[in-house]
Amino acid sequence: MKVSLLALGSTLVTFMAVSAAPANPSLTTLPVKHATSASTGEDSTYLRVITERAGKIVATLGLPDSAAFYRVRTIVKEQYRALNAVYTERDERLKQLKDQQPPADKNTSDSIKKNIQQDVDARVAKLHTAYLAKLATELNPQQVDMVKDGMTYNVRTVTFRAYEQMLPQLTDEQKKVIMDDLIEAREHAMDAGSSEKKHAWFGKYKGRINNYLSSQGISMKKASEDWKKRKDAAAGAGTK
């Protein structure tokens, strides 16, 4: 595990950080809703950001008309909004627990935190299922995939291509295992509340992938070194 993760530290992670970065850095981490407008009850900055983010994702789908665009944009925006509400409530509950006087003992505190997280997980899972059902009423499976990739900065595709470039000897079966794990990571990442947490899900699954490849007799350290040599050689040839 240690070898495989370190092997990707200076290559695959760097490659992803550059290639998977959102086009608009201001949208990397969606702001948590705080202050609200007295007239609308909503934070206008937050709503603007998630609307813009949803619009950028939906604009890639090639929808037939503006009506379809706005319908799908609303679905995506409302998913961001609903997830934010869950995570905001969670943070408030955790803050109340932390500020409680007298403070709860460790066992009680741990039990409350566990219950809060279980509640969050259940609510997020319900939102996830409902969200995909709504998207399916407007989009085909390929377009739904594009929405998922858009919500996760296309890390699935970027990571898979990096593995292919690093390991050109991969078999079709090995590629399938890698892709299946990245798709599973994406299902979790699309529900995360920040860029950092989205990338953390992919990081977790990359560890699983690297362990799998090591079990297949692939030295990730050597693969990383060889990949760097190939890139350096290509860069040198390009400057001549």
Side-chain angles (χ1 to χ4, degrees), residues 2 17 29 62 92 113 121 147 170 177 195 204 223-224:
K2 291 182 179 178
T29 303
E92 290 172 351
K113 289 178 181 178
D121 291 343
V147 171
L170 286 172
V177 171
S195 173
K204 176 181 178 179
S224 176

Side-chain angles (χ1 to χ4, degrees), residues 156 174-188 201-202 204-210 212:
R156 172 187 69 106
Q174 290 167 339
K175 289 180 182 180
K176 183 179 185 305
V177 171
I178 293 172
M179 180 57 78
D180 287 348
D181 275 347
L182 292 174
I183 288 173
E184 187 173 329
R186 185 184 64 181
E187 290 301 301
H188 293 292
W201 274 111
F202 284 101
K204 176 181 178 179
Y205 277 80
K206 281 187 291 177
R208 177 190 294 186
I209 291 168
N210 294 340
Y212 162 72

Side-chain angles (χ1 to χ4, degrees), residues 35-79:
T36 59
S37 164
S39 60
T40 65
E42 292 284 358
D43 177 0
S44 60
T45 299
Y46 169 75
L47 290 177
R48 175 179 57 78
V49 170
I50 62 173
T51 300
E52 289 178 357
R53 178 62 179 160
K56 288 179 180 293
I57 292 170
V58 178
T60 68
L61 304 180
L63 297 178
D65 51 51
S66 59
F69 170 87
Y70 288 121
R71 286 196 305 270
V72 179
R73 188 184 70 172
T74 297
I75 292 172
V76 177
K77 179 193 73 174
E78 289 303 316
Q79 179 68 358

Side-chain angles (χ1 to χ4, degrees), residues 10-50:
S10 61
T11 51
L12 181 58
V13 172
T14 301
F15 180 87
M16 285 179 54
V18 174
S19 302
N24 186 343
S26 68
L27 300 179
T28 298
T29 303
L30 295 177
V32 174
K33 181 177 66 176
H34 292 298
T36 59
S37 164
S39 60
T40 65
E42 292 284 358
D43 177 0
S44 60
T45 299
Y46 169 75
L47 290 177
R48 175 179 57 78
V49 170
I50 62 173

Side-chain angles (χ1 to χ4, degrees), residues 171-237:
T171 66
D172 288 343
E173 181 180 354
Q174 290 167 339
K175 289 180 182 180
K176 183 179 185 305
V177 171
I178 293 172
M179 180 57 78
D180 287 348
D181 275 347
L182 292 174
I183 288 173
E184 187 173 329
R186 185 184 64 181
E187 290 301 301
H188 293 292
M190 62 185 283
D191 294 329
S194 69
S195 173
E196 180 182 5
K197 289 182 173 61
K198 290 176 189 291
H199 282 282
W201 274 111
F202 284 101
K204 176 181 178 179
Y205 277 80
K206 281 187 291 177
R208 177 190 294 186
I209 291 168
N210 294 340
N211 285 338
Y212 162 72
L213 293 173
S214 294
S215 75
Q216 296 287 297
I218 296 174
S219 169
M220 297 302 295
K221 181 178 181 180
K222 184 176 186 305
S224 176
E225 292 171 349
D226 290 345
W227 188 32
K228 185 177 185 303
K229 289 177 183 177
R230 293 196 300 272
K231 291 195 296 180
D232 290 345

Side-chain angles (χ1 to χ4, degrees), residues 93 108-120:
R93 293 169 69 184
T108 300
S109 178
D110 288 346
S111 177
I112 293 173
K113 289 178 181 178
K114 181 179 179 180
N115 289 337
I116 290 173
Q117 189 58 51
Q118 288 176 339
D119 178 54
V120 168

